Amino acid sequence: MPIAQKLPSADRTWQPTLESLFDCWQSFLLAHHDPYTLNHDLLNVVASATQSDRASLMRFDPELRQLRITTAIGIHPDIVNQTIIGLGEGIAGWVAQHRQSLLLPSGPDIPAHLSEYMHQHAISSALCVPMMIGDELKGVLNLARLGDAPTFTSEDLWFAALIADRHAAALQTAQLYEELSNSEQFINRVLESVPISLVVIDHNLRIVSANKNFLSKARHDEQQEIGRPISQLFPPVLIRFLQLEAKINAVFASGQTFDGEKMVYRAPGIITRTYYYRLIPIKSGQRVENVLLLMEDITEREQLGEEVRRAERYLASVIDWASDLVVSMTPQGEVITWNRAAERVSGLVPDQVRGKSFLSLCAADQRRALATQLRRLIQDEESIATEASLITSNPQQQVDVAWNCSAMRDDTGAVVALVAVGRDLTERRRLEAQLAQSAKMASLGVMAGGIAHEIRNPLAIIAASAQLLDEHPHDDELRQQCTQKIVASAQRASLIIEHLLKFAHPPQERFRLLNIHATLEETFTLLGHQLLVSQVALHRDFSPDVPRLYGNPELLQQVFTNLILNACNAMPQGGELTVQSRLIDDLIELRFRDSGHGIIDKHMAKIFDPFFTTRAVGKGTGLGLSISYSIVQQHHGTMEVVSEPEQGATFIIRLPITDTYLAAAPH
Amino acid sequence: MKILIVDDEPDLCWALERMIRTNDMWISIAGCSTSAMNLLKQHTYTVAFVDAILPDSNGFQLARHIHMVSPSTSIVLMSGYYYREDMDEAHTHIGGFLAKPFLISDVRTILQQVLSADQIRQEQYPCNTYC
């Protein structure tokens, strides 16, 4: 024993030998952290030193309050495995319970059951010592001599107690080492498996360690990298560009984390990848021992982000360049986006409209109806189709737009935005107006008979009076009568032509407040003779509480003209036409009821179709009702027909009353 | 000789009356077919000038009625709205057609024509005048 040799030989007594044994054993302990080896070797040493036949180390389980043999000498392995001793059971149990050493047999005060226990197990002498750390029981050390072997002495007890004491401390240390090692291994496993590159750098900017992720990503192996300077790890250009060394030094100096930036790095033989890196100080107290370079691979995320941005840009440009108006707004109706078509049609640029109420960008008189429609979207409706004029940068001008509005909903069904897709109706309106005008001219042809008759009557009076004047130049009374009739008839003919011209003139585009009864009366005047020719008696059933409405009288007159001409046509033998007006809720309802031949079932579905006519070629264009229908639609109204063959037909027009106050007080 | 003028234009009736009036002539004026038929119950007219369009009937219908109650009455239909084809449909009991506006000479010619008996009725043609 080399350590023992250091001691002076003159002092070689029991005492120094024991001390040196401890020293030996301590150094041995430090070299072996494995508890099993520790226990077994220790027990061997102790058993042979104390000349024990049996020896065992028991560990105390504080939860179960039991002792179990961890290592044994001179005991059969089966018994070792089976032995579980509760507190107070046998010698070891007594020692564990009392936390007090026991040397048997040592005197007459031995508890009786222990003497019996020794006898049963043929033990001549037993030594049992508790292993304590502070107040905590860790286990017990048992030594026994069998047969007629001499009894343990108090020196043996003292020795065993010392051993147990030291061993408890050693076990504790070993346990702590194990725990430490376990947690270190755990941390290492975590570090090795995270998909993040970790490199630990020291003060000299050399690599202390690097995790597996870094090594595999960088195509390096550990042996190569450890101890190399950081400047050799990355390409010099990158190091210079990132000023990596300066940054690491700054972290060492300040102790502050460098919170990251992107770096694009291409390891040899690997495609370029993008990392996000941070520099984190690893401190011991106040001092920065190392700096941790943490690199997160964000290549895929970057690519994904780029793809998303590209898709977004693509979609945005599709919407922006669409020929239809696309307006998105908050559920409250505030404009968020306004595409180029909307800008082109309205002359308003996105900055002028963003955040404004969409309703405020529509014609004042249509706001309430539109607001109602949009509310339906918020409630439940999938989408709504409506027409609303858009105001433009020119205060005098509005543009008719057909809108299709829908609500964008999130996963919970809550409305997150409204989208309105609109089509500029200007061109369609122009074509419709052209068509309506052509149809009007065609209906003038139908009216020609009545008109001819109506104009030729005053002409006949004029001609006759002139000839009478010529024949009787000296009859003063006749001259007076004739001139008066000539003037009156000329005025009458002129008035008829004026009505005609007014009817034939293309309508004004403007909608204005009108009295529907006045418009009806004008139509009756124009068609008075037509009714006469057709032997149709006209009945008016006007309700006095019908208010004025917002509309285009010229267009509405065209609708009424079409309906009256149709009625005349349906009653070739003459008949009755009743025109009724009523106020029903907020709608004005007009009914044109004739006593004609009615409409047969198979024609009912088609009568509003363009070019559908039951008249002979050249007698009707088939446009009258389809144009009337579109005119009523422009007034946000509806038009329908009810009829039974031979019972006459009733055309029903419903027109909404406009709130005139809306113009003054927008939404 | 009794003559009936049926037209809803009083001024036209007045002018026509002045054109054809002679001393031996007795002229009645009616504004609609009902009053014309009433007059026909009381008098027998040699000639009736009937407007094609009347408030309560049309000229053809009235002509048919007149022919029924008074077959000897010659009928001249007046109209401001006519096509030449319309004349082909003219009923045999319509003796003449007067297009509005008309000349005094045409009125007098047609009056003479219808007065000069049946044999010339087949060759009746409308007198279209445009002044």
Side-chain angles (χ1 to χ4, degrees):
Chain A
M1 249 186 229
I3 298 169
Q5 282 171 1
K6 285 181 189 169
L7 298 165
S9 55
D11 299 332
R12 185 181 290 266
T13 57
W14 176 241
Q15 198 80 16
T17 310
L18 191 60
E19 292 278 25
S20 58
L21 179 64
F22 283 159
D23 285 343
C24 253
W25 170 68
Q26 281 288 52
S27 61
F28 162 78
L29 261 185
L30 291 174
H32 297 81
H33 301 315
D34 172 19
Y36 178 78
T37 316
L38 182 65
N39 289 337
H40 197 73
D41 290 357
L42 169 81
L43 208 58
N44 257 330
V45 171
V46 174
S48 72
T50 55
Q51 290 159 356
S52 301
D53 298 312
R54 285 182 192 163
S56 69
L57 269 172
M58 288 180 153
R59 196 176 60 80
F60 178 65
D61 183 331
E63 277 174 29
L64 297 172
R65 302 177 68 75
Q66 286 171 344
L67 290 166
R68 274 174 179 276
I69 298 174
T70 53
T71 314
I73 289 166
I75 304 174
H76 193 275
D78 290 347
I79 298 172
V80 168
N81 290 335
Q82 284 166 14
T83 305
I84 297 169
I85 295 169
L87 286 181
E89 277 181 48
I91 300 169
W94 190 92
V95 169
Q97 189 178 31
H98 293 88
R99 306 196 172 183
Q100 197 182 312
S101 303
L102 199 61
L103 174 57
L104 296 173
S106 67
D109 54 341
I110 313 163
H113 69 279
L114 292 184
S115 299
E116 207 169 305
Y117 181 87
M118 285 178 65
H119 186 71
Q120 274 175 6
H121 290 83
I123 296 169
S124 64
S125 181
L127 227 174
C128 188
V129 189
M131 295 192 288
M132 306 284 291
I133 298 285
D135 290 337
E136 202 183 336
L137 180 71
K138 290 285 171 189
V140 293
L141 171 62
N142 291 306
L143 298 170
R145 287 181 184 159
L146 304 179
D148 51 358
T151 306
F152 285 115
T153 62
S154 60
E155 280 80 13
D156 291 328
L157 173 64
W158 174 75
F159 170 73
L162 264 177
I163 292 283
D165 220 23
R166 291 298 184 100
H167 188 59
L171 276 179
Q172 177 81 352
T173 310
Q175 195 182 335
L176 288 175
Y177 263 112
E178 192 181 19
E179 277 172 17
L180 189 66
S181 153
N182 281 344
S183 66
E184 196 183 330
Q185 274 173 16
F186 176 73
I187 289 168
N188 275 332
R189 276 202 304 278
V190 170
L191 291 182
E192 289 304 301
S193 52
V194 287
I196 295 173
S197 294
L198 298 168
V199 180
V200 181
I201 299 156
D202 68 9
H203 278 278
N204 301 319
L205 306 187
R206 284 174 191 280
I207 293 162
V208 178
S209 81
N211 75 342
K212 200 187 219 161
N213 186 67
F214 174 79
L215 295 169
S216 61
K217 278 261 162 75
R219 292 271 171 99
H220 289 305
D221 66 54
E222 196 168 0
Q223 269 65 41
Q224 277 181 343
E225 297 306 332
I226 304 303
R228 276 175 69 179
I230 187 85
S231 57
Q232 288 177 20
L233 194 61
F234 298 113
V237 178
L238 186 71
I239 299 270
R240 270 201 305 280
F241 176 72
L242 294 175
Q243 297 182 299
L244 196 58
E245 289 170 317
K247 281 172 187 160
I248 294 169
N249 282 329
V251 174
F252 271 117
S254 67
Q256 301 288 315
T257 299
F258 170 72
D259 209 15
E261 62 183 6
K262 267 198 272 186
M263 90 192 244
V264 179
Y265 169 50
R266 186 170 169 273
I270 294 181
I271 57 157
T272 306
R273 303 199 70 87
T274 308
Y275 295 89
Y276 189 84
Y277 77 95
R278 290 188 183 89
L279 294 169
I280 300 161
I282 302 174
K283 291 181 190 175
S284 166
Q286 290 300 306
R287 208 179 104 87
V288 179
E289 298 259 291
N290 296 101
V291 167
L292 176 68
L293 168 62
L294 189 148
M295 290 162 64
E296 205 175 340
D297 189 339
I298 57 167
T299 312
E300 277 80 15
R301 207 185 306 165
E302 284 277 295
Q303 277 172 357
L304 204 63
E306 180 53 38
E307 273 165 33
V308 168
R309 277 195 294 278
R310 198 181 301 132
E312 265 176 9
R313 277 200 302 275
Y314 179 77
L315 276 178
S317 80
V318 165
I319 288 169
D320 209 26
W321 289 99
S323 62
D324 282 343
L325 291 77
V326 181
V327 179
S328 69
M329 53 194 126
T330 64
Q332 289 73 39
E334 286 147 0
V335 173
I336 303 167
T337 65
W338 185 258
N339 75 341
R340 272 168 210 270
E343 184 181 333
R344 187 187 65 236
V345 168
S346 67
L348 299 169
V349 299
D351 283 345
Q352 285 175 288
V353 299
R354 203 173 286 123
K356 279 195 181 172
S357 156
F358 179 64
L359 290 174
S360 73
L361 300 167
C362 293
D365 58 291
Q366 296 163 2
R367 283 173 195 161
R368 199 171 84 155
L370 192 60
T372 312
Q373 298 262 55
L374 291 180
R375 247 195 318 279
R376 277 171 49 211
L377 269 189
I378 302 280
Q379 284 155 4
D380 225 358
E381 210 84 0
E382 191 97 326
S383 71
I384 51 144
T386 186
E387 285 182 14
S389 311
L390 207 57
I391 61 167
T392 67
S393 50
N394 174 358
Q396 304 303 317
Q397 208 187 337
Q398 297 184 346
V399 184
D400 277 1
V401 178
W403 295 100
N404 207 313
C405 308
S406 48
M408 259 166 66
R409 291 172 194 276
D410 63 12
D411 294 340
T412 66
V415 176
V416 290
L418 302 179
V419 181
V421 179
R423 182 153 288 177
D424 182 0
L425 292 177
T426 311
E427 182 64 9
R428 201 172 95 188
R429 287 274 183 270
R430 198 177 62 76
L431 292 171
E432 276 176 354
Q434 273 183 8
L435 192 63
Q437 190 62 17
S438 317
K440 200 154 73 175
M441 291 304 152
S443 67
L444 274 178
V446 176
M447 290 154 65
I451 295 161
H453 193 90
E454 186 139 355
I455 290 178
R456 275 177 172 158
N457 263 337
L459 287 181
I461 296 165
I462 291 167
S465 301
Q467 289 169 81
L468 286 170
L469 272 177
D470 190 41
E471 259 192 1
H472 309 280
H474 306 297
D475 186 336
D476 283 347
E477 196 202 343
L478 181 74
R479 189 173 64 236
Q480 203 191 344
Q481 285 174 324
C482 286
T483 43
Q484 183 251 318
K485 288 184 199 308
I486 287 170
V487 171
S489 297
Q491 277 173 345
R492 217 181 96 195
S494 174
L495 193 67
I496 295 161
I497 289 167
E498 197 181 304
H499 281 148
L500 264 183
L501 288 178
K502 200 173 162 199
F503 177 72
H505 192 270
Q508 289 191 40
E509 283 183 8
R510 220 159 48 78
F511 272 42
R512 47 208 188 270
L513 272 179
L514 62 90
N515 179 343
I516 198 78
H517 292 156
T519 307
L520 281 166
E521 286 298 345
E522 254 180 79
T523 316
F524 297 157
T525 307
L526 179 72
L527 294 170
H529 222 81
Q530 192 67 36
L531 291 164
L532 197 62
V533 168
S534 309
Q535 297 295 310
V536 171
L538 176 72
H539 302 290
R540 296 170 176 80
D541 178 9
F542 291 170
S543 163
D545 54 2
V546 169
R548 295 205 291 173
L549 68 90
Y550 219 69
N552 185 323
E554 291 87 13
L555 289 176
L556 289 175
Q557 193 181 357
Q558 192 178 349
V559 174
F560 304 152
T561 305
N562 284 327
L563 292 181
I564 294 170
L565 289 177
N566 277 348
C568 290
N569 208 52
M571 300 182 281
Q573 307 303 318
E576 298 194 353
L577 173 64
T578 307
V579 179
Q580 192 185 62
S581 71
R582 289 286 183 273
L583 176 67
I584 295 171
D585 298 329
D586 52 354
L587 291 171
I588 295 175
E589 188 182 273
L590 302 174
R591 284 171 179 262
F592 290 72
R593 189 173 67 241
D594 66 44
S595 60
H597 51 59
I599 301 160
I600 60 170
D601 274 353
K602 67 168 183 177
H603 291 161
M604 280 292 259
K606 298 185 194 162
I607 60 162
F608 291 115
D609 292 352
F611 305 111
F612 174 77
T613 180
T614 55
R615 296 183 210 169
V617 175
K619 296 282 182 188
T621 56
L623 286 174
L625 281 178
S626 87
I627 283 163
S628 301
Y629 192 86
S630 91
I631 290 172
V632 172
Q633 269 196 326
Q634 278 182 48
H635 285 76
H636 304 285
T638 60
M639 184 167 177
E640 59 175 296
V641 62
V642 287
S643 172
E644 276 179 38
E646 307 308 326
Q647 297 288 312
T650 305
F651 282 85
I652 305 162
I653 296 173
R654 294 189 182 90
L655 297 168
I657 313 166
T658 323
D659 302 275
T660 46
Y661 67 83
L662 272 178
H667 184 63
Chain B
M1 184 167 57
K2 288 186 176 175
I3 288 178
L4 175 65
I5 299 174
V6 190
D7 198 314
D8 58 338
E9 292 277 349
D11 286 350
L12 195 112
C13 296
W14 172 85
L16 188 56
E17 187 207 338
R18 290 300 299 255
M19 284 175 172
I20 59 178
R21 191 164 67 191
T22 54
N23 289 334
D24 62 338
M25 206 174 275
W26 193 82
I27 298 172
S28 300
I29 290 174
C32 61
S33 66
T34 317
S35 62
M37 291 308 285
N38 283 336
L39 284 168
L40 276 157
K41 285 174 192 162
Q42 297 158 36
H43 309 282
T44 305
Y45 296 99
T46 316
V47 181
F49 288 89
V50 177
D51 189 25
I53 291 160
L54 293 167
D56 54 351
S57 179
N58 70 53
F60 288 102
Q61 272 176 359
L62 181 59
R64 210 159 36 240
H65 284 127
I66 294 171
H67 188 71
M68 263 152 47
V69 299
S70 171
S72 62
T73 307
S74 296
I75 298 166
V76 176
L77 199 72
M78 302 185 289
S79 177
Y81 171 42
Y82 46 80
Y83 291 103
R84 195 159 291 272
E85 307 92 85
D86 293 347
M87 299 311 109
D88 300 338
E89 294 167 16
H91 303 261
T92 46
H93 47 264
I94 292 174
F97 188 88
L98 200 52
K100 289 177 181 177
F102 36 72
L103 294 173
I104 291 182
S105 55
D106 293 334
V107 176
R108 287 175 186 157
T109 309
I110 208 160
L111 189 56
Q112 274 166 14
Q113 278 175 354
V114 295
L115 287 176
S116 56
D118 293 29
Q119 74 268 20
I120 54 167
R121 267 193 197 165
Q122 272 88 21
E123 298 165 16
Q124 288 299 310
Y125 283 102
C127 241
N128 291 325
T129 53
Y130 308 93
C131 45

